Each structure stands twice: as C-alpha cells, then as structure tokens.
Amino acid sequence: MMNQILFSGVIGLFLTLVGTPLLIKLLARKGYGQYIRDDGPREHASKRGTPTMGGIAFILATVAAYFLSKVITGKPPTFSGLLVLGLMVGMGLVGFLDDYIKIVKRRSLGLRAKAKMAGQLIVGISFAVLSLMFSDARGNTPASTKLSFITDFGWSIGPVLFVIWALFMILAMSNGVNLTDGLDGLATGASVLVFGAYTFIGVWQFQESCANAGTLTNPHACYEVRDPLDLAVVASALMGACLGFLWWNTSPAKIFMGDTGSLALGGVLTGLAILSRTELLVAIMGGLFVLITMSVVIQVGSFRLTGKRVFRMAPLQHHFELKGWSEVLVVVRFWIIQGICVIVGLGLFYAGWAAEK
C-alpha cells in the first residue's frame, strides 16, 4: 500500500520537472506575463513579463500523479482523496480566472472582490458539505463536525457552524499562501515542507488507525480518520509536484505560480488539515503563512488606527528586502522558519499520541 505514496511523489516530481518548461514556452508565446506593482520593491521591476499562472503545472501534475499511482497499484480512489483534489482544482480555477483577467486587461486587479469571493464560497461550501456525507463502513465521514488539533476534541459544533469554520480556514490559508507568494520560490518551498509533513501524518494515522485497534499496542491512541493513507498519497503527489515546480520557480524564477497556484495550495492544505483532523495544528505547521498574514493585518490595523506603519512594507518579506536583505537571503531564512514550524507541529502531533500511551 505504501507504494502508492512513493509512486505519486515520484510521478508528481517528474511531471513538473518536464512539463513546467513546456508551460513556460506556451505562456511566453501567448504573452501571459506577470504584472508588477509600481509601489513594490524596485528590484522586482525586472520580473515584469515573467510567465505566470504556473500553478497549472503542479495542479495538473498532482491530479495525474494521484490517478496514475492508483492505476499502477490497482487501488481505487477514495472519496477523501477526490474531495481534497476537487478543492484544489476548484480554488485553482478561481485563481486562474483572476490571473487571466489581470493579463488580458493588463492591470493588477483581476476578478472583482465580490466575484472572487463568490467563487471561493461556492468551492468552499461544496467541499464542506460533501465532506460530511458518504460515511464508510465504520460510520466515518471524511470530515467531522468536532474541532480538532491532533485529533477531534470537545463537542460537535453542528453542520452549519462546521461549514462556516471550514470556509474561514479555506479563505484564511488561501490568502496566507497568496501573500507569501511574493518572492521567487518562497511559497513553493514552504509548501513542500508542509506537504512532506502531511505525508508523514497520513502514514502514521494509517498505521495507528482505530480500524486496526485489535492489532495495535495502544488502541487508546488510535485515529478515527476515514482515509489517512489516501490523504498521504495526495500530500506526496503535492510535495513531488511542488518540488519539481520549484526547480523552475526558484530565483531567478522562470515562471510564477500566480493566484492559480497560491489559491490552490492554500485550499488543498486546508483540505488535508480538515480531513486528517488536524485543523488547529495546521496553523503551526503552516506558521510562515500565518506570520506573513498577520504582518499585513498588523500593518493595515496600525495605519488605520494611528496613521503609522509598523513595517517598511507588508507583507513581511518585503520589509526585509527594504532593510537590505537580498531576495535569496529572505527566501532561505523564511524557509528555515517554516522548517522550524513543521518540526514543532510534528513534535506536537507525536507528543499527543505518546501522551495517550
């Protein structure tokens, strides 16, 4: 069964390594280049015209890697895996429309705010509602109406509040990845680390599943997650696809992921968190996305309340650029921060399991 994880990761990596340069040529031929804000760091002016919408590459590679791993191993897709992939594709489509309008209209504003929000709401609500349906033989639906940290806790919040909570998470994480995608390779590399962590979590939950309680050394610390192994297959495909895309996206980037990629990554990361019952833990493992989002919230809040800015520029990565850090220095140091967040998150995940022994 573990072969699925290996195959999906390797196929995802291969497809983006080979497919991304083909996409670069196609986008360049059509003139689909990035629009650069005039009020951004001066060094970014040279990036104007770099092909964007590169998220198409790792979205297609991830979907292909998932299904090819199923064909090779003879294992059927699960509803959980299809749900997470559907969330990624749906959010990516909203981002694609946003990117396409920016390019065609040659402006920094793509979809109107209401239209963009409507698209995200349709995708998010569809995911949340469907995730509470189609229970398996044990009665487990892909998602739970209980809140979760490393497992479910507390009482059920009910389906209505769950949908609202899921929407909040999807919008927050999507915007977090979108704000992080401001420097070459920053969001892509950070995502690789988080998807690697979710590959491990899926494998661990599969090995310690309550469905195997009779053979576990500690059945009291088992996980009631519907399809943990298949979530690991999706996470592995994402890790490989993003790693291959990073080859072309690292400084100096030959292609940008655009909103197509950032909204898709934020959506699928939230989907993995919800279906693996680690909703609050993702705020730690995706700590860089949270930190960068908070820098924007603090900057806007401070300016509106006091008329003063806390940072030279928000999001946070641009603050350090304006302090004189090179782009590569900012990216590598932020990757280190993200790596620390992932280690802390996995440490808490394991500590929660060990505490039940």
Side-chain angles (χ1 to χ4, degrees):
M1 288 186 177
M2 298 299 177
N3 287 342
Q4 298 177 69
I5 298 173
L6 176 62
F7 286 138
S8 66
V10 171
I11 294 171
L13 173 64
F14 174 77
L15 289 178
T16 47
L17 278 175
V18 174
T20 303
L22 300 179
L23 179 63
I24 292 172
K25 292 179 181 178
L26 175 64
L27 295 174
R29 187 162 58 244
K30 291 184 174 293
Y32 291 173
Q34 177 69 36
Y35 179 91
I36 302 296
R37 292 167 44 191
D38 293 329
D39 58 345
R42 290 191 303 272
E43 293 79 3
H44 289 200
S46 61
K47 300 182 181 186
R48 191 183 305 273
T50 300
T52 187
M53 297 194 293
I56 295 172
F58 57 74
I59 291 173
L60 293 179
T62 298
V63 174
Y66 175 82
F67 284 106
L68 284 173
S69 71
K70 296 297 180 180
V71 172
I72 294 171
T73 59
K75 302 295 181 182
T78 68
F79 189 62
S80 296
L82 295 177
L83 261 182
V84 175
L85 291 175
L87 179 58
M88 176 186 68
V89 173
M91 293 296 288
L93 180 59
V94 175
F96 172 81
L97 293 174
D98 192 41
D99 286 333
Y100 186 77
I101 292 174
K102 288 177 185 176
I103 293 168
V104 171
K105 300 293 185 180
R106 298 188 180 278
R107 66 189 191 194
S108 59
L109 177 65
L111 282 173
R112 300 296 179 185
K114 290 183 179 179
K116 190 173 183 178
M117 179 61 70
Q120 291 176 308
L121 289 177
I122 291 172
V123 175
I125 291 174
S126 299
F127 168 82
V129 171
L130 290 172
S131 68
L132 296 179
M133 301 170 64
F134 304 101
S135 57
D136 63 7
R138 292 177 55 82
N140 289 325
T141 53
S144 167
T145 55
K146 292 183 178 181
L147 296 179
S148 60
F149 180 50
I150 53 177
T151 56
D152 289 341
F153 66 86
W155 296 277
S156 169
I157 61 175
V160 175
L161 286 179
F162 167 77
V163 170
I164 295 173
W165 168 240
L167 280 175
F168 169 76
M169 287 188 63
I170 292 169
L171 293 175
M173 190 58 73
S174 295
N175 286 325
V177 178
N178 184 256
L179 291 170
T180 304
D181 182 35
L183 300 181
D184 295 353
L186 178 56
T188 310
S191 297
V192 168
L193 296 173
V194 186
F195 292 135
Y198 268 104
T199 302
F200 171 82
I201 286 175
V203 172
W204 187 271
Q205 290 177 333
F206 172 72
Q207 292 177 337
E208 301 294 330
S209 172
C210 294
N212 306 321
T215 61
L216 298 179
T217 56
N218 182 25
H220 300 293
C222 65
Y223 298 94
E224 283 288 4
V225 177
R226 174 172 162 160
D227 303 301
L229 185 64
D230 216 39
L231 295 178
V233 173
V234 174
S236 178
L238 282 160
M239 178 177 63
C242 286
L243 192 60
F245 181 75
L246 182 61
W247 181 272
W248 305 102
N249 182 232
T250 194
S251 183
K254 302 295 187 296
I255 189 171
F256 300 137
M257 70 170 66
D259 282 9
T260 305
S262 61
L263 294 187
L265 290 180
V268 74
L269 178 55
T270 305
L272 288 171
I274 292 174
L275 300 196
S276 65
R277 316 292 170 85
T278 56
E279 296 163 1
L280 299 180
L281 184 64
V282 75
I284 297 174
M285 292 203 299
L288 180 65
F289 306 133
V290 176
L291 178 65
I292 288 176
T293 302
M294 290 307 300
S295 73
V296 175
V297 173
I298 292 170
Q299 184 86 324
V300 173
S302 175
F303 187 76
R304 288 183 176 177
L305 292 174
T306 68
K308 298 180 179 179
R309 293 180 172 84
V310 176
F311 307 105
R312 296 187 180 185
M313 187 177 183
L316 188 61
Q317 61 268 33
H318 298 320
H319 167 78
F320 288 103
E321 277 193 291
L322 294 180
K323 285 191 67 175
W325 291 19
S326 69
E327 180 174 1
V328 173
L329 181 62
V330 175
V331 170
V332 173
R333 286 182 173 173
F334 275 39
W335 282 349
I336 293 172
I337 292 172
Q338 179 65 15
I340 293 171
C341 291
V342 166
I343 291 171
V344 171
L346 288 177
L348 291 172
F349 178 79
Y350 178 77
W353 176 83
E356 296 293 331
K357 296 186 67 174

